[in-house]
Amino acid sequence: MFRRLSDPEKKVRMTFEGQDITAQEGESVAAALLAAGITHLRQTPVSGHPRAPYCMMGACFDCLVNIDGVSNLQACVTPVREGMSVHSQVAEKDLLHEDG
Ligand code: FES
């Protein structure tokens, strides 16, 4: 679906769900994952439907991921870093419910 116009010149190695990903230095995590054919970055807390990066500029929050153990990070505005470990984010449905 998405592809780079050229191979990465300065490669950065990272993983998504344990899968090795080669990214271009300076690109965002979302761009690297899309170029690797990965579009499903998170699930909605209400329906559990998969979501993909949409705006690519930090406005829609459809690209939330967990990076190196930190949740709720926007993949589209987070630059890739050597050795980073990225995981899909599955929201906790119970956080939306009020007590009582
Ligand atoms: S893709 Fe919209 S905030 Fe990241």
Side-chain angles (χ1 to χ4, degrees):
M1 176 182 289
F2 297 96
R3 66 178 179 84
R4 287 190 179 86
L5 296 178
S6 61
D7 287 337
E9 293 176 14
K10 292 189 175 183
K11 294 180 181 178
V12 173
R13 290 168 297 177
M14 54 184 275
T15 62
F16 180 76
E17 300 294 348
Q19 174 187 339
D20 291 330
I21 305 288
T22 301
Q24 167 65 44
E25 183 181 82
E27 72 183 354
S28 71
V29 171
L33 295 178
L34 290 173
I38 297 165
T39 57
H40 172 190
L41 301 193
R42 73 175 184 98
Q43 288 182 351
T44 62
V46 175
S47 67
H49 288 144
R51 303 301 292 178
Y54 181 68
C55 72
M56 297 296 282
M57 61 181 192
C60 73
F61 290 80
D62 274 337
C63 64
L64 295 179
V65 290
N66 178 302
I67 299 175
D68 294 334
V70 180
S71 296
N72 297 316
L73 296 176
Q74 290 171 284
C76 70
V77 295
T78 304
V80 295
R81 202 176 52 248
E82 181 70 25
M84 71 184 347
S85 175
V86 183
H87 290 272
S88 179
Q89 183 160 313
V90 180
E92 292 293 332
K93 199 172 197 174
D94 291 341
L95 292 176
L96 298 176
H97 295 239
E98 294 180 20
D99 291 337

